[in-house]
Amino acid sequence: MNNLLPADGMAVLFPALFTPEESDGYFQLLKENINWKQEPVILFGKTVMQPRLTAWYGDEGKTYSYSGITMQPLRWTEELLAIKSKVEAAAGQDFNSALLNFYRNGQDSMGWHRDNESSLGINPVIGSVSFGAERVFQFRHYMNRSVKRAVLLTHGSLLIMGGETQHYWQHALPKTARPIGARINITFRKIK
Ligand SMILES: O=C(O)CCC(=O)C(=O)O
Ligand SMILES: [Mn+2]
């Protein structure tokens, strides 16, 4: 399997884990059935709205905290469970929660960060599924920020990050001026 990172972590892309037809179906189901909300976050002491919609699903009791907000998980939907089992088979491990992101257009984004919450433990495996508009996903080395990698996340793809990735690499989903439609992303995680 081809590692997208030159060192200090592992990131592997499955460009077509889901067929275009399956992906179209899941995009519609998730768009309609997920309880999407625009949540506030505290950034440098100021409360601002996130530039995307989010939702948190998972096994009971697996709460999630970041940037000053704590989310209680909603109960898995049928389609989320079906997507989760395919991701688990590809990743070779199980997941108990998922953060969902809805990027309404090219102006919605996610800034540089690491998925390094202590609740994920050391060297977590994260399975990231994309449906809808293609977006560029970027990595930059945390200690040497000019070292960058980029990968196009296509409709029905799975990106798996593992090893020391969340220690050494930040990732982001930048805005784009291209006139594009909506994108749904699901990051499956294992909360300890
Ligand atoms: O939308 C994406 O591909 C990135 C999502 C992400 O990094 C996250 O949810 O932590
Ligand atoms: Mn992330």
Side-chain angles (χ1 to χ4, degrees):
M1 228 44 31
N2 192 31
N3 187 0
L4 301 167
L5 301 175
D8 296 337
M10 268 275 293
V12 172
L13 182 69
F14 297 73
L17 185 72
F18 299 93
T19 65
E21 295 73 28
E22 285 175 318
S23 303
D24 291 350
Y26 283 136
F27 181 88
Q28 278 312 320
L29 285 170
L30 294 165
K31 186 180 170 184
E32 284 156 23
N33 295 345
I34 295 297
N35 186 17
W36 298 109
K37 293 216 170 111
Q38 191 175 14
E39 301 277 3
V41 274
I42 300 162
L43 262 191
F44 307 111
K46 278 195 186 142
T47 302
V48 296
M49 295 311 273
Q50 290 184 323
R52 63 187 173 275
L53 311 182
T54 59
W56 178 245
Y57 283 71
D59 295 355
E60 216 175 318
K62 300 294 177 189
T63 61
Y64 182 57
S65 304
Y66 71 102
S67 305
I69 63 173
T70 297
M71 298 211 252
Q72 292 294 335
L74 298 168
R75 293 289 173 90
W76 294 112
T77 65
E78 201 179 306
E79 52 273 16
L80 277 177
L81 286 174
I83 297 165
K84 181 163 91 78
S85 23
K86 262 198 111 162
V87 173
E88 289 173 337
Q93 73 146 62
D94 58 345
F95 298 99
N96 58 21
S97 48
L99 177 65
L100 285 90
N101 295 295
F102 190 92
Y103 302 89
R104 293 161 289 186
N105 54 47
Q107 292 308 294
D108 275 356
S109 63
M110 189 173 298
W112 290 110
H113 69 283
R114 295 177 292 170
D115 295 338
N116 64 347
E117 298 85 19
S118 58
S119 61
L120 294 173
I122 296 166
N123 297 344
V125 173
I126 311 263
S128 177
V129 175
S130 297
F131 297 119
E134 295 181 4
R135 297 284 296 256
V136 174
F137 183 89
Q138 297 188 335
F139 287 101
R140 77 176 179 196
H141 199 279
Y142 190 60
M143 284 94 190
N144 188 355
R145 296 188 178 193
S146 62
V147 179
K148 293 185 176 177
R149 289 293 183 274
V151 54
L152 189 64
L153 296 183
T154 49
H155 190 41
S157 68
L158 167 66
L159 176 71
I160 296 180
M161 296 185 273
E164 293 176 308
T165 306
Q166 304 307 329
H167 186 75
Y168 287 110
W169 294 87
Q170 291 180 306
H171 54 271
L173 194 93
K175 288 184 189 189
T176 172
R178 282 184 298 127
I180 55 160
R183 168 177 179 264
I184 290 173
N185 168 259
I186 313 170
T187 54
F188 290 98
R189 296 141 187 267
K190 190 165 188 173
I191 301 273
K192 304 287 170 190

